[in-house]
Amino acid sequence: MVMIKHMISGLGKLFQKFLLMILRLMVRAFVIAGVLSVIAAGFFTVKGYQMYQGAIREQGLEERIEEVESDEDYVALYDISEEFRSQLVESEDRRFYDHCGIDIGSIMRAVIADVKAGAFVQGGSTITQQLAKNLYFSSEKKIERKIAELFVVYRLEKEYSKDKILEIYSNIIYFGESCYGVQEAASNYYNVDAERLNKEQAAGLVFTIKCPNVYNPNVYAKE
């Protein structure tokens, strides 16, 4: 404030008063915006935690994962071809083994892309976040849902290894045509088991994840 006063000291008194008034208004606006941001953050955090608590009460995390594992088409991570595993991580979350479930860099890049486009055009979710959403929540773009998802992410990263998280995720992804999990998808689209997926087949399934009903192998094979 003192520096700005010195900079405008050479201007007319009336103009000085006008600029200082504008400056004070801006400072107050920033303070108010900051306070409102804190209040909003607190509100959505509480709402998100309540949503998380409701989901966990309905079905605990361990019970939910056991349900996924009980599916007859569930396959262990190392019974899935290395081609699929490596391409999945490269495409969906290349820093998967380095972060703690949340990748700040990816989130910032997604925010910048969305702001430039004026719409949600890029996701910043990690594999762990996507697994949390698939286990408990819808794809509805609500702040409280994203926060609820983070509480599940914390539990997943705390209680399960990275390999286990990747294994569960591979078995719960939707691949279109009512196929959930890589084993169902491999059988449906290529008539092979998940462990026998080759490079091209793995690439086709990973590509499908982006938009299963549009990009699945049976659709783009007709194009």
Side-chain angles (χ1 to χ4, degrees):
M1 184 72 76
V2 174
M3 184 181 295
I4 295 175
K5 285 183 178 179
H6 179 72
M7 289 173 61
I8 64 176
S9 60
L11 301 172
K13 289 185 177 180
L14 183 61
F15 193 47
Q16 287 182 38
K17 290 180 179 179
F18 175 75
L19 287 181
L20 289 173
M21 180 185 70
I22 295 298
L23 179 61
R24 291 191 185 102
L25 288 173
M26 289 177 64
V27 169
R28 289 173 184 171
F30 280 123
V31 170
I32 292 171
V35 171
L36 291 176
S37 296
V38 170
I39 293 172
F43 172 79
F44 284 114
T45 299
V46 170
K47 293 282 288 183
Y49 184 69
Q50 290 173 339
M51 183 180 289
Y52 157 76
Q53 287 281 63
I56 292 296
R57 275 196 300 269
E58 187 172 327
Q59 187 175 33
L61 182 58
E62 184 177 347
E63 181 186 353
R64 179 70 180 96
I65 289 175
E66 286 176 354
E67 180 182 53
V68 175
E69 291 175 325
S70 68
D71 189 280
E72 63 180 1
D73 288 313
Y74 187 93
V75 286
L77 184 64
Y78 292 100
D79 287 329
I80 300 171
S81 79
E82 194 278 332
E83 285 289 354
F84 178 84
R85 286 183 276 122
S86 61
Q87 290 191 51
L88 178 64
V89 172
E90 177 66 23
S91 174
E92 297 290 291
D93 185 4
R94 63 180 58 182
R95 295 187 64 250
F96 172 67
Y97 284 99
D98 299 320
H99 59 62
C100 62
I102 302 171
D103 189 344
I104 301 300
S106 293
I107 292 173
M108 293 306 298
R109 286 191 294 273
V111 168
I112 292 170
D114 291 345
V115 169
K116 285 182 178 179
F120 291 105
V121 296
Q122 182 174 321
S125 294
T126 64
I127 282 175
T128 314
Q129 286 176 276
Q130 293 177 62
L131 174 58
K133 180 189 71 177
N134 289 343
L135 286 171
Y136 284 108
F137 309 111
S138 70
S139 297
E140 193 174 16
K141 294 185 183 295
K142 283 189 173 182
I143 296 174
E144 55 265 42
R145 194 272 295 169
K146 292 295 290 183
I147 292 173
E149 180 183 287
L150 295 181
F151 287 107
V152 180
V153 166
Y154 171 77
R155 290 276 308 278
L156 286 167
E157 290 282 339
K158 180 182 178 182
E159 299 173 23
Y160 297 90
S161 69
K162 286 288 189 178
D163 280 353
K164 187 62 178 179
I165 289 170
L166 186 62
E167 175 183 303
I168 301 165
Y169 179 62
S170 298
N171 281 278
I172 203 173
I173 307 169
Y174 182 58
F175 289 95
E177 297 193 2
S178 300
C179 295
Y180 287 89
V182 62
Q183 177 62 30
E184 277 191 28
S187 177
N188 180 69
Y189 294 119
Y190 301 117
N191 197 31
V192 298
D193 288 331
E195 64 181 346
R196 296 190 177 279
L197 286 167
N198 62 33
K199 184 177 181 179
E200 291 72 26
Q201 292 167 340
L205 292 186
V206 170
F207 184 61
T208 296
I209 296 170
K210 304 296 182 184
C211 190
N213 293 324
V214 176
Y215 295 149
N216 76 64
N218 286 346
V219 171
Y220 58 75
K222 299 174 184 176
E223 296 178 353

